[in-house]
Amino acid sequence: MNKLNPRRHLRQRLRRISAIRRGLGVLWPVMAGLAAVAIIFVSGVVGYMWIEGWDFFDSFYMVVITLTTVGYGEVHPLTRPGRILTSIVLLTGVGTFFYLAGAIVQLVIEGHIQNIFGRRWMQRDIEKMMNHTIVCGYGRIGAIVAREIIAEGHDVVVVERSQPLIDELTQKGVPFVAGDATKDDVLLAAGLNNAKSLVSALTDEAANVYVTLTARQLNPDIYIVARSDSPDHSQRLNRAGANQVLFPHLYGGIRMAQSVLRPTVLGFMDLAMRGDIEDLQMEQLTISTESPVAGKDLISSQLRQRFNIIVIGIKKPDGKLLFNPQPQVILEAGDTLILVGGKQNLAAMQREIS
């Protein structure tokens, strides 16, 4: 994880201050009522001590029985200024109590308490996440992306500003940050510094460019996938820092064509990618420098014999892809293996050689 520089640290602090201000804005009527009661109480105690010359306890008790309207008698006989003070304390205190009670009832009825603490708890959970995926935009594309990643058991944080979609995220229990994904503080609130990848699936292509550029500047190591409506515009996203640019409409048309031309092949690929069959799954595995197979060829690694898996491709760190690699190919640190095999076998292989 990258260390925060002073600028990022300041942005996080400002984001927390902004969140506190939003919470205080909702609680303001209650806080104002409590403050008014405290001022009236202190003023009454000081007033009795000064006007009537009473000690603190008698003044305190007189204010209590006056504000609570219990109907007890006066602690000591009151002078005319003392009765005027008692009338002021009684009228202002009772009115303030009614205001405070109404503010509390409104807060509970409208569900603000649950929203405040629920979002605070969710924000704390987001701050604890590591290597999660940020999905910007929960429209038709973003919702599918978030659903598929969650189905694989990975953490997802959605950034969305549409209130109906925010309500949907709340009902589904998906962690989210409400706000504009093009703003730095919103991306940082989604845990950008600790995230592994980011998917910018906004409908506005200019916004996707801005999100990509901002995310790349704040976290140079994050893997960014951006949506584009036209292949002609992909260079903008690539220059902004996107690792991969996808075209949902283009790929959707190609998929529909392949479902007609090669339905069996496409069905096989779907099953393998989703892992719906216990003994069949496609997976990728990156070899680290500490991996026991680093520096060995495919024959010496004995992946097929030990784990009953098939290596159908190897992606080199420079981006070169070797399809159906020969047994003499050397496995190097940084290589990404494209594998086909059973779920349990792939999991065992990942535990042993990753």
Side-chain angles (χ1 to χ4, degrees):
M1 182 180 65
N2 297 331
K3 294 183 179 180
L4 294 178
N5 57 34
R7 184 180 178 185
R8 295 184 190 175
H9 182 70
L10 177 60
R11 285 174 176 169
Q12 285 192 340
R13 180 174 296 181
L14 292 175
R15 173 175 53 81
R16 293 191 181 99
I17 293 175
S18 178
I20 293 174
R21 287 178 177 175
R22 289 194 296 268
L24 292 177
V26 176
L27 291 173
W28 171 248
V30 176
M31 297 176 63
L34 291 174
V37 170
I39 292 173
I40 294 171
F41 194 94
V42 173
S43 300
V45 173
V46 174
Y48 284 120
M49 293 177 66
W50 179 54
I51 295 175
E52 300 292 344
W54 297 349
D55 59 18
F56 174 78
F57 181 79
D58 288 343
S59 301
F60 177 86
Y61 183 73
M62 185 64 185
V63 173
V64 170
I65 63 175
T66 301
L67 289 178
T68 55
T69 64
V70 295
Y72 293 158
E74 299 172 354
V75 178
H76 300 290
L78 291 171
T79 62
R80 182 179 295 273
R83 292 180 178 178
I84 294 174
L85 174 63
T86 302
S87 301
I88 295 174
V89 171
L90 184 61
L91 293 175
T92 57
V94 172
T96 303
F97 272 126
F98 277 115
Y99 170 81
L100 180 61
I104 294 175
V105 170
Q106 181 182 5
L107 192 66
V108 174
I109 291 177
E110 294 183 0
H112 286 311
I113 290 179
Q114 181 180 0
N115 291 336
I116 293 171
F117 289 100
R119 291 186 179 181
R120 183 174 298 177
W121 294 331
M122 182 173 61
Q123 185 61 44
R124 289 179 179 176
D125 292 339
I126 293 174
E127 292 175 354
K128 296 178 182 178
M129 288 184 182
M130 299 290 294
N131 297 325
H132 60 285
T133 299
I134 299 174
V135 178
C136 299
Y138 197 69
R140 290 178 297 178
I141 303 299
I144 296 175
V145 173
R147 182 190 66 194
E148 292 298 318
I149 296 177
I150 293 174
E152 291 286 336
H154 300 284
D155 291 328
V156 169
V157 177
V158 176
V159 178
E160 180 56 59
R161 63 180 180 179
S162 172
Q163 189 58 48
L165 295 178
I166 290 175
D167 295 338
E168 181 179 346
L169 289 167
T170 303
Q171 294 176 357
K172 293 183 178 180
V174 178
F176 69 89
V177 173
D180 188 351
T182 61
K183 295 184 178 180
D184 295 11
D185 59 339
V186 175
L187 291 178
L188 291 173
L192 180 66
N193 292 315
N194 300 328
K196 180 181 180 181
S197 54
L198 180 143
V199 178
S200 186
L202 303 174
T203 55
D204 186 359
E205 189 158 326
N208 286 327
V209 174
Y210 196 87
V211 169
T212 301
L213 183 63
T214 303
R216 179 60 65 203
Q217 290 179 344
L218 296 176
N219 186 350
D221 299 327
I222 195 170
Y223 188 86
I224 301 176
V225 178
R227 168 188 174 179
S228 177
D229 292 331
S230 173
D232 298 334
H233 301 158
S234 62
Q235 293 184 356
R236 300 178 185 176
L237 289 163
N238 289 328
R239 287 195 296 266
N243 297 96
Q244 191 172 7
V245 181
L246 300 180
F247 315 100
H249 298 91
L250 176 62
Y251 294 152
I254 294 176
R255 183 179 179 84
M256 294 178 68
Q258 293 299 321
S259 66
V260 174
L261 299 173
R262 301 174 182 87
T264 303
V265 174
L266 190 61
F268 173 83
M269 294 294 294
D270 287 341
L271 293 174
M273 291 296 295
R274 293 199 305 263
D276 291 343
I277 302 179
E278 181 65 27
D279 296 331
L280 176 64
Q281 183 174 352
M282 295 187 68
E283 190 57 86
Q284 67 177 50
L285 176 64
T286 301
I287 300 176
S288 65
T289 54
E290 297 83 8
S291 176
V293 300
K296 297 182 179 180
D297 57 28
L298 280 175
I299 296 179
S300 302
S301 65
Q302 296 184 340
L303 299 180
R304 177 69 179 271
Q305 293 81 356
R306 295 164 57 193
F307 303 105
N308 192 27
I309 58 93
I310 301 174
V311 180
I312 62 175
I314 301 176
K315 184 179 180 180
K316 292 294 183 179
D318 60 1
K320 183 180 179 181
L321 181 63
L322 303 178
F323 174 72
N324 191 22
Q326 298 299 314
Q328 295 78 19
V329 172
I330 302 298
L331 302 178
E332 301 173 343
D335 288 352
T336 300
L337 307 182
I338 304 174
L339 311 167
V340 176
K343 292 182 180 180
Q344 295 182 356
N345 294 337
L346 289 170
M349 177 181 172
Q350 186 171 10
R351 287 193 300 267
E352 184 170 339
I353 73 170
S354 63

